[in-house]
């Protein structure tokens, strides 16, 4: 699992200047130090699988380039909030919102998980394509891959309920390379019950990865 992550990290570190990439038939800005969606097959899958709440509110945790947040706005969400702890990712998300002329709909904020939000910030959908590899990140880019002790996942489940509208949906992008049983246990500690919405196996140079979209509902 870590070997695959480091292979992908090596490709990311080759990106040393701002550039553009193509995804879903659209052009996007990419800054150095930001996760590059076009390098992973999961990006297009999640973009098509997500249930964007038309006329509703959408929150993306760990927005990276912001392509999901931009798509949420383009596909009819009335308000979109994009959160990321990385300064480069926040700037990248802003650039792509401006590029696709949805900057009046997409609000971008910097902070760890839900820290930038207030008690009044509530959403119909909260989504996070998580850093599923357990390990210690050395820099901001590696935080897109590694979650030591799955602490970020614990924070996700701990804080999400305060920011969901009644009947809102909590979604997590994950893979079979991560420890899904541990994620389920962390979710249960904070009152969440998991369900698999979509899954697809994709071939890689080193075998196959199954990408999974999970939904968590409050147990009770």
């Amino acid at each position: 699992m870590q070997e695959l992550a480091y292979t992908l990290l090596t490709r990311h570190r080759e990106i040393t200047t701002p550039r553009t990439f193509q995804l879903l038939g659209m052009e996007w800005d990419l800054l150095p130090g930001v996760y590059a969606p076009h390098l992973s097959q999961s990006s297009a899958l999640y973009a098509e699988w997500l249930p964007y709440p038309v006329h509703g509110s959408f929150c993306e945790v760990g927005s990276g380039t912001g392509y999901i947040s931009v798509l949420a706005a383009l596909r009819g969400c009335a308000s979109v909030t994009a959160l990321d702890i990385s300064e480069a990712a926040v700037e990248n998300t802003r650039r792509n919102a401006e590029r696709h002329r949805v900057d009046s709909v997409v609000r971008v904020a910097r902070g760890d998980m839900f820290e930038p939000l207030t008690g009044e910030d509530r959403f119909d959908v909260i989504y996070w394509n998580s850093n599923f590899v357990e390990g210690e990140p050395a820099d901001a880019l590696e935080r897109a891959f590694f979650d030591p002790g799955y602490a970020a996942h614990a924070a996700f489940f701990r804080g999400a309920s305060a920011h969901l509208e009644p009947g809102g949906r909590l979604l997590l992008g994950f893979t079979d390379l991560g420890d899904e049983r541990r994620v389920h246990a962390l979710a249960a500690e904070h009152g969440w019950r998991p369900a698999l919405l979509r899954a697809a196996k994709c071939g890689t140079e080193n075998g196959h990865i199954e990408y999974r979209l999970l939904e968590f509902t409050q147990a009770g």
Side-chain angles (χ1 to χ4, degrees), residues 100-179:
H100 294 285
R101 300 181 180 179
V102 291
D103 47 307
S104 62
V105 177
V106 178
R107 173 180 61 141
V108 189
R110 183 185 179 196
D112 192 5
M113 202 56 65
F114 300 111
E115 282 181 356
L117 303 180
T118 71
E120 273 122 43
D121 288 316
R122 291 182 175 270
F123 307 95
D124 297 304
V125 171
I126 295 174
Y127 165 70
W128 179 33
N129 183 11
S130 76
N131 47 343
F132 59 86
V133 183
E134 186 167 7
E136 193 67 43
D139 55 27
L141 178 59
E142 290 193 8
R143 285 183 70 108
F145 297 87
F146 297 106
D147 180 15
Y150 273 30
H153 287 78
F156 181 69
F157 294 121
R158 183 169 57 248
S161 60
H163 300 292
L164 272 180
E165 291 282 10
R169 305 183 71 177
L170 183 66
L171 305 173
L172 180 75
F174 207 69
T175 87
D176 60 348
L177 300 178
D179 188 347

Side-chain angles (χ1 to χ4, degrees), residues 2-44:
Q2 288 199 353
E3 181 182 347
L4 286 171
Y6 281 117
T7 298
L8 194 52
L9 267 168
T10 298
R11 297 180 67 187
H12 277 75
R13 296 203 187 283
E14 295 170 356
I15 302 169
T16 57
T17 58
R19 61 178 66 180
T20 61
F21 65 93
Q22 296 288 326
L23 184 66
L24 300 169
M26 302 166 67
E27 186 170 69
W28 305 89
D29 286 298
L30 174 64
L31 297 179
V34 178
Y35 183 85
H38 64 294
L39 297 181
S40 172
Q41 295 163 299
S42 65
S43 303

Side-chain angles (χ1 to χ4, degrees), residues 33-128:
V34 178
Y35 183 85
H38 64 294
L39 297 181
S40 172
Q41 295 163 299
S42 65
S43 303
L45 290 173
Y46 292 136
E48 295 303 323
W49 288 348
L50 283 170
Y52 303 101
V54 177
H55 307 306
S57 52
F58 183 94
C59 177
E60 181 182 17
V61 175
S63 62
T65 61
Y67 83 100
I68 286 289
S69 289
V70 169
L71 287 172
L74 291 173
R75 295 186 184 185
C77 294
S79 66
V80 178
T81 297
L83 307 173
D84 206 294
I85 196 170
S86 161
E87 184 176 358
V90 166
E91 175 59 24
N92 206 149
T93 297
R94 287 197 179 109
R95 290 192 186 194
N96 279 318
E98 291 170 0
R99 172 184 278 273
H100 294 285
R101 300 181 180 179
V102 291
D103 47 307
S104 62
V105 177
V106 178
R107 173 180 61 141
V108 189
R110 183 185 179 196
D112 192 5
M113 202 56 65
F114 300 111
E115 282 181 356
L117 303 180
T118 71
E120 273 122 43
D121 288 316
R122 291 182 175 270
F123 307 95
D124 297 304
V125 171
I126 295 174
Y127 165 70
W128 179 33

